[in-house]
Amino acid sequence: TLAEQWKADDMVTGAEAAGPYINFRINRTVLTRSVLQAVHATGSKYGWTNEGAGKRVIVEFSSPNIAKPFHAGHLRSTIIGNFIYKLHKAHGWDAISMNYLGDWGKQYGLLALGFERFGSEEELVADPIKHLFDVYVKVSAAASEEAERIKAMDAEAAAAAGPTIQDQARAYFKSMEDGDESALALWQRFRTLSIEKYKQIYARLGVHFDVYSGESQVGEGMSRAIQMLTDTGLLIEDKGAKLVDLTEHKLDKALVQKSDGTTLYLTRDIGAAIERYEKYNFDKIIYVVSSQQDHHLKQLFKTVELLGLPYADRFEHINYGLVNGMSTRRGTVVFLDDMLHESKEKMHDVMRANEAKYNDVVDPEHIADVLGMSAIVIQDMAARRIKNYTFDWGRILNFEGDTGPYLQYAHARLCSLERKAHVKVNPDADVSLLTEEVTCDIINQISLYPDILAASIKSLEPCTVVQYILKLSHSISSAWETIKVR
């Protein structure tokens, strides 16, 4: 039998058949020593591999639209994308984190007109994301009201009314496309100020982007994409518009150019894909975008495949579900910054409830912020990403149960033990003394971490790591109750 053929070693001392299974006998002392020495030697890189060595991956995530709400959907993309980016780095990939901003289009003509009417230099500098959104809402409302007034006019009066706000917006954006310096200077200022504000928000979440790209950065790739679609016979015309017929693949007809010659998201995405491969020579590119965009990404990937591009099989879409019930004291959350501030304030309230312990906390504002971030991140990553979930402040800010604050508490307690012990970890300690059941359970859990990372790179599911950490924390919590530490 296979069990009889097994050759024992120091770690696995024997094997025996048990029906269709084989049971292995493990030398507990050797296993414990091996695991603890590996952790001590590699530190925070325990479980890392070189599996992706020599390979490059681009992870595109977050990707907010300038002058539009930076909302909970972007938060999910940011958290999940950052996990996938760091996971690839842990497996030796040359990983590039990319933020593809929605920073181009007719709406910027509308925004420029709106800023001229409703803008405030002081408010722009203080909070560009919020102020540009407010301006956009006001000018959009003005354009809608104007359209209703013109609709009620007769043809002669409507013609005499002159260019509408929307007409002026189109003309302004046309001047941007034609390279008008003053128009581009204002747009560039909006973009730069917004990115600086985004960076502040990302820093709170521990997120860094290697590249800030955007629709505006796609150059001749768009015209090349149109030409390639034409040359391959994929492009068809319908009333002056140009589209790709993907009905054979159950993906409908995909519009790539309007009858007035303006391009759409799909065109820019194809152009961006071409330019990215030529610049970065990636082995894989991952788009972290909500499930609402499943159809668009399928159209993009299928079009790239039909173009015969040799890297068409390197595209991957990682989707996720929606967040329900996201609200603050001020009402429905629109901006991510508001949500992060709310999490900090709510956690601060929880901390203040225990006055004695609160008075001992150094820099409670910072601690509340970190705990609030942890609460939001763990709530988001605790279940499979495709699942919708309901946001519940009461549950996620709890120090008990499977929450971010609970994990922070478990970690802080261990750090306190290490700090008060005044003893350095000895990798050569006599581990044969670690015979308690709870101790063995912790060692077993730690030994599984490399396997958890290996499984995660295949599924790209954050919950795999989060559930593992929660289980490990539960094991440690049990040890506190049964093992006396002096």
Side-chain angles (χ1 to χ4, degrees), residues 248-316:
E248 179 185 341
H249 307 283
K250 299 181 181 180
L251 292 172
D252 307 318
K253 293 180 179 178
L255 188 62
V256 295
Q257 191 176 75
K258 292 182 179 179
S259 56
D260 63 3
T262 55
T263 55
L264 287 93
Y265 291 122
L266 183 61
T267 329
R268 289 192 283 272
D269 284 346
I270 297 170
I274 294 170
E275 292 182 358
R276 288 174 184 179
Y277 182 75
E278 291 176 350
K279 181 174 182 177
Y280 297 106
N281 191 27
F282 56 78
D283 294 279
K284 180 165 66 171
I285 182 167
I286 299 171
Y287 297 78
V288 184
V289 187
S290 82
S291 56
Q292 293 173 306
Q293 297 297 319
D294 282 358
H295 189 69
H296 171 74
L297 270 300
K298 286 177 181 177
Q299 287 185 327
L300 170 63
F301 297 170
K302 178 55 68 173
T303 303
V304 169
E305 178 190 327
L306 294 174
L307 282 172
L309 298 178
Y311 45 89
D313 61 346
R314 303 183 187 187
F315 293 75
E316 185 173 359

Side-chain angles (χ1 to χ4, degrees), residues 6 11 18 21 48 84 94 102 114 122 162 166 191 193 220 238 252 264 322 415 434 456 467 483:
W6 177 262
M11 178 78 76
Y21 304 101
W48 287 29
I84 292 171
D94 175 13
E122 184 178 340
Q166 294 290 2
R191 186 181 191 273
L193 287 171
E220 62 174 19
D238 184 5
D252 307 318
L264 287 93
L322 305 178
C415 290
L434 300 175
S456 297
Q467 293 303 323
I483 297 178

Side-chain angles (χ1 to χ4, degrees), residues 204 330 336-346:
R204 291 180 69 183
R330 290 183 289 174
L336 180 57
D337 207 25
D338 290 340
M339 191 170 67
L340 299 184
H341 177 74
E342 184 79 3
S343 69
K344 173 184 174 181
E345 288 305 306
K346 283 182 177 291

Side-chain angles (χ1 to χ4, degrees), residues 181-198:
E181 290 186 8
S182 62
L184 287 173
L186 181 62
W187 162 80
Q188 184 62 57
R189 187 152 186 265
F190 289 164
R191 186 181 191 273
T192 300
L193 287 171
S194 295
I195 288 175
E196 289 306 310
K197 181 64 177 179
Y198 289 143

Side-chain angles (χ1 to χ4, degrees), residues 108-126:
Y108 292 98
L110 194 60
L111 185 61
L113 294 175
F115 190 73
E116 189 177 309
R117 292 189 183 193
F118 309 110
S120 161
E121 182 65 25
E122 184 178 340
E123 291 182 45
L124 175 67
V125 173

